[in-house]
Amino acid sequence: PVQCRFAEALCVLPFFFPETAGGLFVGCLITNLLSPYGLLDIVIGSLTTLLAAVLTARCKHKWLAPLPPVVCNGLLVGGMLAWEQVGFTDAFAATFALNAASVALGELLACYGLFLYLHVDYEDLMIWAPLAGVAIFTLTLILSTLGRYRTN
């Protein structure tokens, strides 16, 4: 399942305010103390947030600013989840691909959603609104179709 968390949207803040990177790391660390994945999530999840925040703060192009959290969390958290689910077995590659895609998609929606809200003029949004509507409809259709075929 794809999770779009508001807290993840905060990962774009270092683009606007670089000093928020440390606070995001500490906040993530505290939150991950309650994680069902334990020490692994406390370390990997928190360091992933720090890495994404630092890369976001260093980003020079405004449209690429939300990308570091998407890529970092997709790869690192997706890998951590896959390892927790199947270990390094033959199923790891497929499980990693699904987890990485799911995490990255949630990050993409959260980070670019907040970024657009904070950074784009209303007139600019009107140009992209029809395309965004089609994209959201298509994504919803794909996710609902995939949800029907889950093998839990």
Side-chain angles (χ1 to χ4, degrees), residues 8 24 39 44 49 52 61 69 72 75 77-78 81 87 91 96 114 116 119 126 128 133 136 140 143 145 147:
E8 295 300 330
L24 287 171
L39 185 60
I44 291 179
T49 296
H61 192 278
C72 291
L75 294 176
V77 174
L81 292 173
F96 169 72
L114 179 64
L116 288 173
H119 203 297
M126 296 294 37
W128 296 102
I136 290 170
T140 304
L143 292 176
T145 303

Side-chain angles (χ1 to χ4, degrees), residues 1-4 74 78 81 96-108 143:
V2 175
Q3 296 181 8
C4 185
L81 292 173
F96 169 72
L98 290 173
N99 280 311
S102 175
V103 171
L105 183 57
E107 290 285 326
L108 184 78
L143 292 176

Side-chain angles (χ1 to χ4, degrees), residues 25-106:
F25 168 70
V26 171
C28 183
L29 181 70
I30 291 169
T31 302
N32 283 347
L33 292 173
L34 303 173
S35 171
Y37 295 102
L39 185 60
L40 189 63
D41 195 23
I42 293 168
V43 174
I44 291 179
S46 302
L47 289 176
T48 299
T49 296
L50 180 62
L51 175 63
V54 168
L55 292 174
T56 300
R58 293 183 178 183
C59 201
K60 301 294 183 209
H61 192 278
K62 66 180 180 179
W63 294 111
L64 297 179
L67 205 54
V70 173
V71 173
C72 291
N73 280 288
L75 294 176
L76 298 173
V77 174
M80 178 196 71
L81 292 173
W83 183 81
E84 276 287 326
Q85 292 168 353
V86 297
F88 289 122
T89 64
D90 291 341
F92 180 80
T95 305
F96 169 72
L98 290 173
N99 280 311
S102 175
V103 171
L105 183 57

